[in-house]
Amino acid sequence: MKLNEGFLDSMKEAFARFREGDAAAATDAVQRALRGEAANAASTAREFTDVESTPVHVAERAEPVHRARPRPAKSQPEDCGHFSMRSYANAAGQRNYKLYVPKGYTDEPVPLIVMLHGCTQDADDFAAGTQMNALADSHKCLVVYPIQPQGANPSKCWNWFKRVDQTREKGEPSLIAGITREVMATHRVDRNRVYIAGLSAGGAMAAVMAQNYPDLYAAAGIHSGLAAGCAHDLPSALAAMRGGKRRADARFVEPPRCPLIVFHGDADTTVHYTNAGDLVRAFTEDTSARGQPSSGIAAGRKHTVRRLTSADGVPAELWTIHGAPHAWSGGNPRGSYTDPSGPDASAEMLRFFLAHSRPGGVTDSE
């Protein structure tokens, strides 16, 4: 849907006020713009909205996503192992994280999955919605959930669109990589089977991490996210989210070196579906019989799977969920931003992850 002139004028005013250093006026202009565009609120939503700590708030989302519900008192599948809060700090700052150790873990080397939540979420919410801890029990994996605090972003979004947070060993990438390495140092982790996944802003940050740390992560899963380097500030982030024209940062144009599995609903009005294509742009169709596109129906949602390969032989899968909103496919409604209809993104990501290991060792000092 095309944005009207009033909305665009208000957004231009917001950007101008921000450049002048008047954060309060910028916030007010953005809020006026969104209040005047209720029908389009879902396309800008609360995702990816902070630039230099300028908050943006919107009305109720138009998409049929599910909000978090209170947990029942009885034990849930993700509570069978040990889920504990920890903290990590380096020169870029400090982040809490929750680590899930599966039931039956006996200190043998196991895979590690790093899960990056979306805006407004936290570790408990994301774990409940994705059910990744329950899968970790079945497959004997450690799962770590870095937590983005409100102090770093008013909507608790990972700052995937800021230049300092798109660079190896700088900003938030250094914190996420540091958390990953800390878990590897304190637990018996199979160093060649470390993976990263995320939803929305977390998916966009997972793409940044996969591009910057192919020596650390053996594969990445990106759900409803965006490609690394597609934005460098709020205006370019909003343009990218809407599927508009943008220019990628030259630092991120290099061919992908990390296997990718991408999920995206083609009815997503928060992050346009074209972003899924951008994530796999450097991949081409696998022409083998095994690589032919496939389609199916799961829990009422039709989906299409394309199997792709880069020029260097790096594999990728693109799952298009037809009619799906901005939500984790096959997720549990006890978590926010979940769509119980459709294929189980968590199970498919884990299947893809465990099929790929990274050759060679990992250098912790890198």
Side-chain angles (χ1 to χ4, degrees), residues 4-44:
N4 67 31
E5 293 182 359
F7 177 85
L8 293 176
D9 289 343
S10 294
M11 291 303 291
K12 289 177 182 177
E13 179 187 352
F15 302 150
R17 298 291 80 77
F18 177 75
R19 285 193 295 269
E20 294 169 2
D22 192 345
T27 301
D28 181 68
V30 172
Q31 290 172 336
R32 290 201 312 273
L34 295 176
R35 284 197 297 269
E37 284 292 316
N40 289 324
S43 67
T44 49

Side-chain angles (χ1 to χ4, degrees), residues 123-168:
D124 291 317
D125 182 8
F126 199 36
T130 63
Q131 297 284 279
M132 191 60 80
N133 293 353
L135 287 170
D137 280 334
S138 300
H139 295 273
K140 292 295 184 294
C141 301
L142 297 170
V143 190
V144 62
Y145 300 82
I147 301 169
Q148 180 75 320
Q150 198 165 26
N153 182 293
S155 294
K156 299 190 291 186
C157 309
W158 295 100
N159 292 307
W160 59 276
F161 50 84
K162 293 184 179 181
R163 291 194 186 279
V164 69
D165 297 310
Q166 297 173 340
T167 306
R168 182 183 172 96

Side-chain angles (χ1 to χ4, degrees), residues 79-98:
D79 298 324
C80 293
H82 186 244
F83 207 19
S84 60
M85 182 72 79
R86 302 184 178 208
S87 182
Y88 173 82
N90 65 14
Q94 179 269 337
R95 292 294 184 275
N96 292 333
Y97 64 91
K98 292 199 76 170

